[in-house]
Amino acid sequence: MTDDLDLLSREGLPEALRTLLADYPRAGWQAHANFAGLVEFWLDRHMMFRRLCELLRSDAEQAVDRRLDPQAMQGRLSRYGGMLVQQLHGHHQIEDMHYFPVLVKREARLERGFEILDRDHHALDGLLERFTRSANGLLQGKTEAGAFREEVLSFEGFLNRHLEDEEDLIVPVILRDGSGGLQ
């Protein structure tokens, strides 16, 4: 796999891995008969991760501008930062151990895409560790809110790239084939 497909450098999936997306464009997902249930739940989880990042970034920005009390920010960071890290680890573990193996059997042409997503999960483990160190530094008074904001921005960008690519790869397969064997 080339470096341009690495999470830290890619701008999206190669066109060859987006073939099903042409048949199942994002604009039609919610109206599809197979959307309710697993796809809807899975996309809601992704939205939760995005919202947690937005909340943490907003809190850090407010702390920098002195519009959020440092103790309030620490409490929110502890709660929501911990939720983000814990839930992402669990989500990725389920995908790696269950969803990806089932889905690659359904659509072997996308095997390379699932390899990319698996590599992303390993890269995100390192990014989550860096995020956690930065968050702990802020909680311990060793890191400034501005530096933590930059960490959240960086992490958020890589996470969004991964989530979008994952959705583009997986949702069309589930819409086409249904969720049987995945739940």
Side-chain angles (χ1 to χ4, degrees):
M1 204 167 315
T2 61
D3 286 339
D4 62 332
L5 296 179
D6 183 81
L7 177 62
L8 304 181
S9 61
R10 77 170 183 267
E11 294 183 19
L13 291 174
E15 205 57 41
L17 296 175
R18 299 169 46 87
T19 57
L20 287 179
L21 189 60
D23 296 331
Y24 299 90
R26 279 181 179 263
W29 288 358
Q30 288 185 332
H32 195 281
N34 287 332
F35 180 80
L38 181 61
V39 172
E40 186 174 26
F41 170 77
W42 190 65
L43 291 174
D44 281 346
R45 299 295 292 175
H46 282 196
M47 184 56 66
M48 177 191 71
F49 300 136
R50 289 177 172 113
R51 287 184 179 142
L52 286 168
C53 285
E54 290 171 11
L55 181 143
L56 293 167
R57 179 178 29 83
S58 175
D59 281 2
E61 290 168 355
Q62 290 181 55
V64 168
D65 295 340
R66 300 189 190 278
R67 292 182 288 130
L68 181 62
D69 176 71
Q71 286 185 334
M73 188 211 178
Q74 288 182 340
R76 290 169 59 87
L77 172 57
S78 180
R79 178 178 180 192
Y80 297 119
M83 181 186 298
L84 176 65
V85 171
Q86 180 184 28
Q87 294 295 317
L88 262 175
H89 277 305
H91 182 75
H92 289 161
Q93 186 175 32
I94 291 168
E95 288 174 338
D96 290 341
M97 303 297 275
H98 180 64
Y99 289 153
F100 292 178
V102 171
L103 291 168
V104 78
K105 287 179 184 174
R106 289 185 180 183
E107 188 54 68
R109 294 179 299 169
L110 301 179
E111 183 174 7
R112 184 172 176 228
F114 289 103
E115 290 170 3
I116 292 169
L117 296 178
D118 181 63
R119 281 182 49 187
D120 284 2
H121 288 175
H122 293 288
L124 284 165
D125 283 345
L127 294 171
L128 279 167
E129 184 179 320
R130 193 176 81 190
F131 170 88
T132 300
R133 278 195 312 270
S134 182
N136 286 336
L138 183 63
L139 291 171
Q140 297 164 1
K142 298 176 183 177
T143 302
E144 296 294 321
F148 178 69
R149 177 193 174 275
E150 294 303 313
E151 181 59 40
V152 174
L153 275 171
S154 173
F155 178 77
E156 186 177 24
F158 296 128
L159 179 63
N160 281 330
R161 169 79 278 136
H162 169 73
L163 294 176
E164 185 175 312
D165 291 346
E166 192 172 82
E167 292 161 3
D168 287 350
L169 193 71
I170 291 173
V171 170
V173 177
I174 299 173
L175 292 178
R176 184 191 69 192
D177 298 346
S179 62
L182 288 168
Q183 297 178 341

